[in-house]
Amino acid sequence: QSVLTQPPSASGTPGQRVTISCSGSSSNIGSNYVYWYQQFPGMAPNLLIYRNNQRPSGVPDRFSGSKSGTSASLAISGLRSEDEADYYCATWDDSLSGVIFGGGTKLSVL
Amino acid sequence: QVQLQESGPGLVKPSQTLSLTCTVSGGSIRSGNYYWTWIRQYPGKGLEWIGYIQYSGSTHYNPSLKSRLIISLDTSKNQFSLRLRSVTAADTAMYYCARGGYYCSTTSCRLDAFNMWGQGTRVTVSS
């Protein structure tokens, strides 16, 4: 069971806005940056959001991240079929002194 | 463009040692700007950070694996490696190497984003 809690699944229709939550605690999300990774079947994860809300070059601005207290969220606006993937949140945990990941959310575009 | 590539046996017997290597191309592993990292993903999808090594040779391991784990660096080959001893079926996973940034406060440094990943290598522990 992951220290960071994500919903196992999320869905939306093309053009909709979808949010994926990631819940942690004061020793991880509450005091450190949050990262989001996107993973397609059979592929390695790919960085989507870093330091809570920053997008690497090449990531569309349809993807945005936010953090409040001990929770974080990934929002995807203008949903597209190619957004169908698994999404993972990650952060540093001060108690573990290491990186922890959420359990992942499978996004379906209906 | 930096690329990472994992290599190693796909099948390891229980109680034996798992050895994997990550070859870095398109850039030097001597760069002090990165933490060279191992991450694994279980068949049920969950991701687990294994540990990292810096250019200096300094390492930092997941406490749950620390007693069985060694991560090392070979700068002459631009590679870093993982050795995990006494494996069990619970170590069956896809193993990824990744390049992580880091940031430091006045008291400590922490891993930043994993901005480059290898394609992964599947390891099964079975007799």
Side-chain angles (χ1 to χ4, degrees):
Chain A
Q1 192 168 354
S2 303
V3 178
L4 300 180
T5 302
Q6 296 181 238
S9 63
S11 63
T13 57
Q16 266 191 331
R17 183 176 186 270
V18 170
T19 61
I20 297 172
S21 62
C22 177
S23 177
S25 68
S26 57
S27 68
N28 43 68
I29 291 179
S31 50
N32 295 290
Y33 291 124
V34 176
Y35 307 84
W36 291 91
Y37 297 90
Q38 179 187 54
Q39 185 179 33
F40 296 107
M43 304 291 287
N46 188 54
L47 180 65
L48 194 63
I49 297 288
Y50 67 99
R51 296 195 180 187
N52 301 335
N53 55 20
Q54 302 299 302
R55 282 186 308 276
S57 60
V59 173
D61 59 6
R62 300 187 298 105
F63 294 90
S64 62
S66 64
K67 184 184 111 168
S68 178
T70 59
S71 294
S73 291
L74 172 70
I76 309 171
S77 60
L79 199 61
R80 298 184 177 183
S81 58
E82 58 260 38
D83 298 332
E84 198 162 271
D86 292 325
Y87 293 85
Y88 294 89
C89 59
T91 187
W92 184 269
D93 187 281
D94 294 333
S95 299
L96 171 70
S97 189
V99 173
I100 55 173
F101 291 90
T105 298
K106 183 176 182 60
L107 175 64
S108 298
V109 181
L110 306 173
Chain B
Q1 174 76 349
V2 173
Q3 291 185 318
L4 287 74
Q5 177 70 59
E6 305 88 350
S7 59
L11 181 64
V12 183
K13 288 182 168 49
S15 80
Q16 292 190 342
T17 297
L18 164 64
S19 296
L20 298 175
T21 295
C22 181
T23 300
V24 180
S25 59
S28 175
I29 203 168
R30 294 185 183 88
S31 168
N33 296 327
Y34 300 108
Y35 286 359
W36 304 99
T37 303
W38 288 98
I39 295 164
R40 65 184 179 182
Q41 185 167 32
Y42 297 109
K45 293 194 323 179
L47 289 160
E48 181 179 45
W49 168 74
I50 296 172
Y52 67 72
I53 188 166
Q54 301 172 246
Y55 162 62
S56 63
S58 176
T59 56
H60 190 63
Y61 300 150
N62 187 318
S64 70
L65 297 170
K66 188 174 183 177
S67 64
R68 301 190 290 133
L69 179 64
I70 295 175
I71 296 177
S72 59
L73 199 64
D74 187 338
T75 55
S76 67
K77 296 181 179 178
N78 225 34
Q79 296 175 335
F80 63 104
S81 298
L82 168 154
R83 284 176 57 86
L84 184 66
R85 64 179 181 82
S86 304
V87 296
T88 70
D91 295 308
T92 292
M94 180 74 83
Y95 284 75
Y96 294 101
C97 58
R99 186 185 75 176
Y102 65 92
Y103 62 96
C104 300
S105 64
T106 53
T107 55
S108 65
C109 293
R110 295 166 180 171
L111 268 167
D112 203 353
F114 299 120
N115 53 24
M116 196 68 62
W117 296 63
Q119 65 184 27
T121 187
R122 189 171 302 280
V123 175
T124 301
V125 179
S126 175
S127 54

